[in-house]
């Protein structure tokens, strides 16, 4: 295996190679005792260790306020990995455990940070990644504490700061947080994370478009009638009622996951598939997106149904809450390629099934030379992120016989059928990228602010509406969302095969 040392500032890095070993570093996880670390970060680092991507001398340093030590962290990590890792192997664990070290301290002040600095010096680690797996309210204090201790620079190595979503609560707070972060760290050091960008199908969007001549020429308003983007969940708020009361569906997934996927669909071909070029093209998409008109959005909230309680009965939720657990909106990308093509985006909790899909509905042919009893259905390209990641193309074909009768056919690609090995978890990809210095799948400051500008009208509407539209738990969502498309002669594609 080849160790590729990449420049810290580089905006021209290539994605990590399959057999690449990341440079040695200290991977510091602030909030290592929390749920994100247990479910995602530690399993991802463990998987990278098992696949040989972690340098032999890389350390994983957990930082938290709990009264732990190295051994307690290792016991916690082993339990988390047995529960959440894709494969837990005692032999692999025995070589992974010694990497783990723990530092106790607050996110502000100097006592804990001084202990962290001392440990990093003892470990001889000049390359450092700092990961904020902490509540968003701690980000400003944490960033300033790191800066005050001089952690933003290293004379002999590089420093990178990974910031989890949500990045701000609205446009104003995002701008202020960006100012604080970039006042203490250089922009090239900051990795604003959105794990949906690392899902295989999301990454495959670029390959589908730019590595195949059959698709990109059709990728415009000349051939595409409209685009649907769906992210549905069958679960409710899962004990996070207090958090969801502050975020809701718009802040939780619209501002980040869904708009990022929309940008990948709509962006122009970048000159190179690297951080600066890709992020420049995504920002152009957000800048071309018009405000959501009052009649172009529906907000909903699940109520009791199908044996499940309503949102207002969830723990931590106000009994009179107006928070939206469902949203559907029509967006327009007002540029040469997409003018006139509506992008219909929806997401919600306590719906019929769990699915994340991007569906491109093509226009019907301008002239059909056959005598058909009904107009043929439009061709449809579906990119499925969950479940069963893959791509599905639906088109019309002739039924054998004398008459011309049409039947739907499909060409389907799934990762599970095509490849024997499982897809890497999104966090595996992203954590490796932070170590090798590839920021392509991370968000830039102007990108985040542009996303908040796009959803600002939705947030204003939520504040102004008396009540969101109710929908029974376990259904497809509020009927008002269907009418959003029906008045334009379209209808929602039902998530799943078919």
């Amino acid at each position: 295996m080849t160790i590729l040392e990449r420049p810290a500032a580089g905006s021209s890095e290539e994605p990590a190679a399959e057999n690449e070993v990341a440079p040695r570093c200290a991977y510091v996880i602030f909030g290592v005792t929390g749920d994100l670390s247990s479910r995602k970060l530690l399993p991802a680092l463990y998987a990278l260790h098992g696949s040989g991507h972690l340098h032999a001398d890389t350390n994983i340093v957990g930082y938290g306020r709990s009264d732990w030590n190295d051994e307690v962290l290792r016991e916690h990590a082993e339990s988390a990995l047995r529960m959440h890792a894709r494969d837990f192997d005692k032999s692999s664990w025995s070589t992974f455990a010694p990497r783990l070290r723990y530092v106790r301290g607050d996110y502000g002040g100097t006592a804990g940070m001084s202990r962290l600095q001392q440990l990093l010096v003892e470990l001889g680690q000049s390359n450092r990644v700092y990961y904020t797996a902490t509540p968003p309210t701690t980000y400003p204090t944490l960033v300033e504490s790191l800066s005050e201790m001089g952690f933003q620079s290293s004379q002999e190595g590089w420093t990178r700061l990974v910031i989890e979503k949500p990045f701000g609560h609205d446009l104003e707070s995002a701008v202020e947080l960006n100012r604080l972060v970039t006042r203490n760290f250089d922009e090239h050091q900051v990795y604003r994370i959105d794990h949906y960008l690392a899902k295989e199908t999301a990454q495959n969007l670029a390959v589908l478009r730019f590595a195949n001549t059959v698709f990109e020429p059709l990728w415009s308003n000349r051939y595409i009638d409209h685009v649907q983007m769906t992210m549905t969940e069958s679960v409710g708020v899962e004990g996070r009622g207090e958090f969801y009361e502050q975020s809701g569906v718009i802040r939780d997934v619209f501002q980040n996951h869904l708009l990022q996927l929309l940008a990948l669909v709509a962006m122009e071909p970048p000159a190179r598939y690297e951080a600066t070029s890709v992020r420049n093209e995504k920002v152009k998409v957000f800048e071309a997106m018009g405000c959501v008109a009052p009649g172009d959005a529906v907000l909903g909230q699940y109520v009791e149904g199908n044996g499940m309680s309503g949102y207002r009965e969830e723990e931590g939720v106000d009994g009179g809450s107006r928070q939206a657990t469902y949203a559907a909106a029509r967006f327009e990308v007002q540029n040469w390629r997409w003018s006139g093509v509506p992008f219909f985006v929806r997401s919600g909790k306590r719906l019929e099934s769990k699915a994340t899909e991007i569906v491109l509905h093509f226009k019907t042919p301008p002239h059909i030379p056959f005598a058909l009893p009904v107009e043929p259905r439009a061709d449809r390209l579906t990119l499925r992120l969950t479940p069963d990641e893959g791509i599905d193309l639906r088109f019309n074909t002739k039924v054998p016989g004398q008459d011309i009768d049409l039947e739907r056919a499909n060409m389907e690609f799934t990762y599970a059928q095509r490849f024997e090995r499982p897809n890497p978890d999104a966090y595996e990809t992203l954590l490796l990228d932070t170590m090798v210095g590839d920021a392509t799948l991370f968000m830039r400051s102007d990108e985040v602010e542009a996303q908040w500008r796009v959803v600002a009208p939705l947030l204003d509407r939520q504040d102004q509406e008396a009540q969101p539209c109710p929908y029974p738990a376990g259904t497809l969502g509020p009927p008002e969302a269907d009418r959003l498309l029906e008045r334009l002669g379209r209808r929602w594609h039902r998530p799943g095969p078919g």
Side-chain angles (χ1 to χ4, degrees), residues 71-90:
E71 289 307 313
V72 175
L73 174 59
R74 290 166 185 165
E75 291 172 3
H76 168 81
E78 181 177 7
S79 176
L81 294 176
R82 288 182 180 276
M83 183 177 300
H84 300 293
R86 186 166 54 240
D87 297 300
F88 182 83
D89 177 75
K90 288 185 177 180

Side-chain angles (χ1 to χ4, degrees), residues 107-223:
Y107 301 129
T110 60
M113 293 294 177
S114 296
R115 288 192 289 271
L116 175 61
Q117 178 73 295
Q118 182 180 353
L119 175 60
L120 295 177
V121 171
E122 290 176 1
L123 295 172
Q125 297 290 13
S126 56
N127 295 331
R128 301 165 184 181
V129 179
Y130 301 108
Y131 198 112
T132 63
T134 57
T137 54
T138 67
Y139 294 170
T141 300
L142 191 50
V143 168
E144 290 183 326
S145 294
L146 288 169
S147 179
E148 288 172 4
M149 292 294 297
F151 282 0
Q152 74 275 33
S153 62
S154 176
Q155 293 182 350
E156 299 177 358
W158 45 255
T159 300
R160 291 163 194 153
L161 173 67
V162 185
I163 303 180
E164 264 286 348
K165 80 171 190 73
F167 195 91
H169 188 73
D170 52 21
L171 176 57
E172 182 180 0
S173 60
V175 170
E176 182 57 34
L177 183 55
N178 270 330
R179 286 174 180 164
L180 184 146
V181 170
T182 55
R183 189 166 60 240
N184 292 284
F185 288 82
D186 293 333
E187 175 63 35
H188 72 78
Q189 296 178 294
V190 184
Y191 289 65
R192 299 169 188 83
I193 197 168
D194 185 338
H195 71 275
Y196 255 76
L197 293 179
K199 287 184 174 292
E200 285 297 326
T201 301
Q203 296 183 73
N204 206 14
L205 253 171
V207 174
L208 183 76
R209 289 182 60 185
F210 308 137
N212 298 287
T213 56
V214 70
F215 292 112
E216 178 57 26
L218 308 179
W219 215 269
S220 73
N221 52 13
R222 185 173 181 181
Y223 297 104

Side-chain angles (χ1 to χ4, degrees), residues 168-301:
H169 188 73
D170 52 21
L171 176 57
E172 182 180 0
S173 60
V175 170
E176 182 57 34
L177 183 55
N178 270 330
R179 286 174 180 164
L180 184 146
V181 170
T182 55
R183 189 166 60 240
N184 292 284
F185 288 82
D186 293 333
E187 175 63 35
H188 72 78
Q189 296 178 294
V190 184
Y191 289 65
R192 299 169 188 83
I193 197 168
D194 185 338
H195 71 275
Y196 255 76
L197 293 179
K199 287 184 174 292
E200 285 297 326
T201 301
Q203 296 183 73
N204 206 14
L205 253 171
V207 174
L208 183 76
R209 289 182 60 185
F210 308 137
N212 298 287
T213 56
V214 70
F215 292 112
E216 178 57 26
L218 308 179
W219 215 269
S220 73
N221 52 13
R222 185 173 181 181
Y223 297 104
I224 294 176
D225 177 78
H226 70 282
V227 180
Q228 295 185 21
M229 308 185 68
T230 297
M231 183 185 297
T232 60
E233 296 184 84
S234 58
V235 299
V237 296
E238 298 293 282
R240 300 191 305 156
E242 186 175 345
F243 161 79
Y244 209 79
E245 278 287 86
Q246 300 299 316
S247 63
V249 66
I250 300 170
R251 291 183 172 92
D252 192 34
V253 297
F254 254 71
Q255 182 272 336
N256 38 72
H257 299 335
L258 287 168
L259 285 188
Q260 281 291 320
L261 293 177
L262 190 154
L264 292 177
V265 171
M267 73 179 189
E268 293 298 313
R272 295 184 62 209
Y273 204 77
E274 48 80 35
T276 298
S277 295
V278 170
R279 294 193 285 190
N280 285 347
E281 297 304 333
K282 287 195 292 181
V283 169
K284 291 178 186 177
V285 172
F286 299 136
E287 291 175 342
M289 293 180 68
C291 294
V292 180
D296 288 340
V298 172
L299 301 177
Q301 183 187 97

Side-chain angles (χ1 to χ4, degrees), residues 421-434:
R421 61 182 182 183
N423 288 347
D425 181 80
Y427 276 92
E428 292 177 39
T429 300
L430 293 172
L431 268 58
L432 179 58
D433 283 352
T434 61

Side-chain angles (χ1 to χ4, degrees), residues 16-149:
E18 182 63 29
N19 63 344
E20 183 173 357
V21 178
R24 62 169 294 183
C25 66
Y27 213 100
V28 182
I29 302 175
F30 291 100
V32 73
T33 62
D35 187 59
L36 175 63
S37 177
S38 297
R39 290 187 302 107
K40 294 297 184 180
L41 304 185
L42 289 172
L45 290 166
Y46 175 73
L48 292 172
H49 166 82
S51 62
H53 282 70
L54 286 191
H55 192 284
D57 295 328
T58 286
N59 299 103
I60 300 164
V61 180
Y63 187 104
R65 292 179 291 198
S66 299
D67 188 16
W68 289 11
N69 55 31
D70 294 352
E71 289 307 313
V72 175
L73 174 59
R74 290 166 185 165
E75 291 172 3
H76 168 81
E78 181 177 7
S79 176
L81 294 176
R82 288 182 180 276
M83 183 177 300
H84 300 293
R86 186 166 54 240
D87 297 300
F88 182 83
D89 177 75
K90 288 185 177 180
S91 176
S92 182
W93 165 249
S94 67
T95 54
F96 180 75
R99 294 183 185 269
L100 298 172
R101 304 293 297 271
Y102 183 77
V103 175
R104 180 190 177 190
D106 293 326
Y107 301 129
T110 60
M113 293 294 177
S114 296
R115 288 192 289 271
L116 175 61
Q117 178 73 295
Q118 182 180 353
L119 175 60
L120 295 177
V121 171
E122 290 176 1
L123 295 172
Q125 297 290 13
S126 56
N127 295 331
R128 301 165 184 181
V129 179
Y130 301 108
Y131 198 112
T132 63
T134 57
T137 54
T138 67
Y139 294 170
T141 300
L142 191 50
V143 168
E144 290 183 326
S145 294
L146 288 169
S147 179
E148 288 172 4
M149 292 294 297

Side-chain angles (χ1 to χ4, degrees), residues 432-447:
L432 179 58
D433 283 352
T434 61
M435 287 183 275
V436 300
D438 184 357
T440 305
L441 299 180
F442 298 81
M443 295 176 290
R444 202 167 57 196
S445 59
D446 56 342
E447 194 175 344

